[in-house]
Amino acid sequence: MATGDSKELRKMSDKLSTFLESGIYRFENPNAVFIDPVRALNRSYTRFRVSPSAYYPRFFESKQESRVSSSTSRKRKRKEKKPQALNDREKVAERRHQEARPFLLKAHECLLRATDLLEVMSNLRRDFDSSRECGDLSLPDVPQQSFIELGRVWQTPLYEITLNFHQHEKLNADGGSLIMQNSEESVLPVFNNLVLNETGNDVEAEFLNSPYVMPRESCFYMSDIGQIHNLIPAEPGRGFNLIVVDPPWENGSAHQKSRYPTLPNRYFLSLPIKQLSHTDGALVALWVTNREKLRGFVEKELFPTWGVRYVATFYWLKVKADGSMINDLDLFHHRPYECLMLGYCHREPVDSECLPKFKPVQDGQIIVSIPGDYSRKPPVGGLLLEYVPGFKPTRCLELFAREMNSGWTSWGNEPLRFQELRYFIKDR
């Protein structure tokens, strides 16, 4: 018995050690994982670290605050009207929810049993070393650049970003002696232009007197949706194997509209997913809300127009620092989860026997994490790589990106949104 207990403890210790390094905790249920986005994102950086206190502005309230919140919630419930009969679309949404519910509950049970992880979760918002913060996070309402507005004015083509490449050592061409690379500055158009950091180190950048950080081996293209065709590679073999899409879906919520502008669904039909895909094909991952009208649009119009064959749905279950769900699982219009719909896209029709072999995607997988800022999704690229067709290294693209990752191309009208220096801690 003692031997069995010690093995179990070692297993838990190994899991936690792996989590502290990678940001991914794998439960005994193979279809569920917990992600700490901060640790996962930090794998992209060499000289900087994402600040946990800046990433997690919500869901870390004290027990007293939690009791107040629960009390307010109960008061709201008393004011709610009696539930009305569901219409046909709502019935379909409820059916989908009931199908996903067992997977979500099982994943949540795994989380609550992982006591070692729960202990760490309560401290995830604590900075690694608060003395190294780059930004003045004590100023909660410091105005940020509105890239969306700047991209609409007549001066747009004139705006430039300055990349400051620091001095670093590099192996000589003979593979032996070290040579010192001098610091250099590169000034580039920030809009409608591919801005690259091809070095193996983070690059500090400056735009309109505000400092930014670009992770190693990354690039961004900042434009509106009308310019996305500039990303289509001249050679099909330079296309992307993994494409993650997080559209600003149209939503009736005034609160959401105040956060960022949305687009009508028909705009997304024009995204050239097939032309952006690699000749070996691409795994396409699309973030969607639980609105049935939207799910129907994706299945019946969007994926067929893109040339994407649907294969599975993953679920992002949102929890608080204490492990509880952010909302009741069965709260109809405020489910505590979102969906990631997956499918494969090929530039040309392919015989099924000629398709490259890769791990099949299992439906109903659960990604558990504590949400960051409003509508900021957890970095799921690392979890999807094993399902990606084609040769390695994988060419990765995020559409409607608001942050950057090493090895990825980030496109959207604000890919630098969370790259400002205030969101980072500098390594000594």
Side-chain angles (χ1 to χ4, degrees):
M1 184 71 177
T3 304
D5 288 346
S6 63
K7 284 183 179 179
E8 189 63 31
L9 286 171
R10 278 199 301 273
K11 186 177 178 182
M12 289 174 64
S13 176
D14 290 344
K15 277 186 179 182
L16 195 60
S17 297
T18 301
F19 166 72
L20 294 175
E21 176 66 27
S22 68
I24 298 176
Y25 187 100
R26 297 188 180 276
F27 299 114
E28 66 271 17
N29 175 1
N31 296 325
V33 298
F34 177 88
I35 291 184
D36 172 20
V38 171
R39 284 179 167 81
L41 287 170
N42 280 341
R43 295 171 69 85
S44 291
Y45 297 92
T46 55
R47 297 188 301 114
F48 292 87
R49 294 288 179 266
V50 175
S51 166
S53 62
Y55 187 92
Y56 290 117
R58 309 178 290 166
F59 305 115
F60 277 82
E61 69 266 24
S62 66
K63 289 183 179 179
Q64 183 177 0
E65 290 171 325
S66 182
R67 283 195 295 270
V68 172
S69 174
S70 299
S71 174
T72 305
S73 177
R74 282 194 296 271
K75 287 178 182 177
R76 281 200 209 104
K77 285 180 182 178
R78 282 197 290 270
K79 293 179 181 179
E80 286 178 0
K81 297 177 181 178
K82 292 182 179 180
Q84 297 178 343
L86 302 178
N87 60 36
D88 290 343
R89 187 175 285 160
E90 289 171 335
K91 287 177 182 176
V92 176
E94 180 61 20
R95 177 178 55 77
R96 290 190 198 269
H97 171 66
Q98 291 302 325
E99 290 171 356
R101 196 174 187 277
F103 301 116
L104 294 160
L105 285 174
K106 192 172 291 186
H108 191 240
E109 289 166 6
C110 287
L111 172 65
L112 297 181
R113 285 199 300 269
T115 53
D116 56 338
L117 175 60
L118 286 172
E119 187 174 343
V120 174
M121 281 173 59
S122 62
N123 294 310
L124 285 182
R125 195 174 188 271
R126 190 173 298 168
D127 284 323
F128 307 110
D129 183 346
S130 59
S131 66
R132 294 181 289 163
E133 284 182 6
C134 300
D136 188 355
L137 298 175
S138 64
L139 300 176
D141 296 317
V142 177
Q144 285 186 286
Q145 307 287 357
S146 174
F147 294 105
I148 297 172
E149 292 178 11
L150 293 174
R152 293 172 175 166
V153 297
W154 68 266
Q155 300 100 322
T156 297
L158 305 178
Y159 288 122
E160 294 177 325
I161 188 168
T162 302
L163 307 186
N164 298 301
F165 295 92
H166 285 264
Q167 188 180 58
H168 61 281
E169 291 181 338
K170 181 180 179 182
L171 280 176
N172 205 343
D174 60 14
S177 58
L178 286 171
I179 58 173
M180 191 63 72
Q181 295 286 100
N182 293 324
S183 299
E184 60 181 57
E185 195 174 271
S186 181
V187 181
L188 303 162
V190 71
F191 290 101
N192 303 319
N193 180 47
L194 189 64
V195 180
L196 299 96
N197 172 18
E198 297 181 288
T199 73
N201 290 296
D202 313 331
V203 166
E204 293 178 66
E206 186 175 312
F207 174 63
L208 294 183
N209 298 318
S210 292
Y212 294 85
V213 178
M214 285 183 66
R216 58 184 172 83
E217 299 168 352
S218 66
C219 60
F220 71 86
Y221 193 102
M222 185 151 52
S223 75
D224 62 26
I225 199 168
Q227 304 298 319
I228 191 174
H229 287 77
N230 293 328
L231 272 183
I232 297 173
E235 301 175 12
R238 298 294 297 168
F240 298 95
N241 311 90
L242 173 58
I243 303 175
V244 175
V245 193
D246 183 19
W249 298 112
E250 195 169 36
N251 191 301
S253 167
H255 180 64
Q256 182 184 18
K257 288 179 180 178
S258 69
R259 296 276 184 160
Y260 60 83
T262 59
L263 287 173
N265 293 348
R266 66 180 183 277
Y267 278 74
F268 307 123
L269 294 168
S270 65
L271 292 176
I273 299 298
K274 186 174 286 189
Q275 295 96 311
L276 291 167
S277 299
H278 194 278
T279 48
D280 291 331
L283 174 65
V284 178
L286 175 70
W287 286 104
V288 297
T289 65
N290 292 304
R291 292 172 57 225
E292 183 53 35
K293 181 179 179 180
L294 182 55
R295 291 288 297 272
F297 168 73
V298 172
E299 292 173 349
K300 295 173 185 176
E301 294 187 60
L302 194 61
F303 270 10
T305 300
W306 287 354
V308 172
R309 174 177 57 87
Y310 169 80
V311 292
T313 296
F314 287 7
Y315 299 91
W316 172 30
L317 180 61
K318 306 175 191 180
V319 297
K320 299 179 182 180
D322 62 4
S324 63
M325 299 183 199
I326 63 166
N327 289 319
D328 187 284
L329 182 59
D330 297 314
L331 194 60
F332 192 87
H333 291 293
H334 298 280
R335 310 281 196 206
Y337 63 88
E338 291 186 43
C339 304
L340 185 66
M341 297 179 67
L342 306 177
Y344 285 107
C345 179
H346 292 273
R347 292 176 69 102
E348 303 294 340
V350 180
D351 189 320
S352 59
E353 294 183 2
C354 300
L355 288 172
K357 302 300 179 185
F358 46 87
K359 185 175 179 179
V361 186
Q362 185 167 346
D363 194 29
Q365 297 195 50
I366 311 297
I367 300 162
V368 186
S369 78
I370 303 170
D373 208 344
Y374 188 81
S375 193
R376 192 176 185 181
K377 305 300 191 298
V380 295
L383 298 173
L384 300 176
L385 288 178
E386 59 187 323
Y387 308 113
V388 174
F391 296 101
K392 303 297 184 284
T394 302
R395 288 179 51 79
C396 306
L397 170 67
E398 183 174 6
L399 301 181
F400 303 102
R402 295 198 293 160
E403 64 191 346
M404 302 177 67
N405 283 282
S406 175
W408 285 68
T409 298
S410 303
W411 172 86
N413 56 11
E414 49 176 359
L416 296 180
R417 170 68 176 82
F418 293 111
Q419 297 303 133
E420 196 170 355
L421 199 58
R422 74 171 81 189
Y423 293 106
F424 292 87
I425 298 168
K426 192 168 186 176
D427 271 352
R428 286 200 179 107

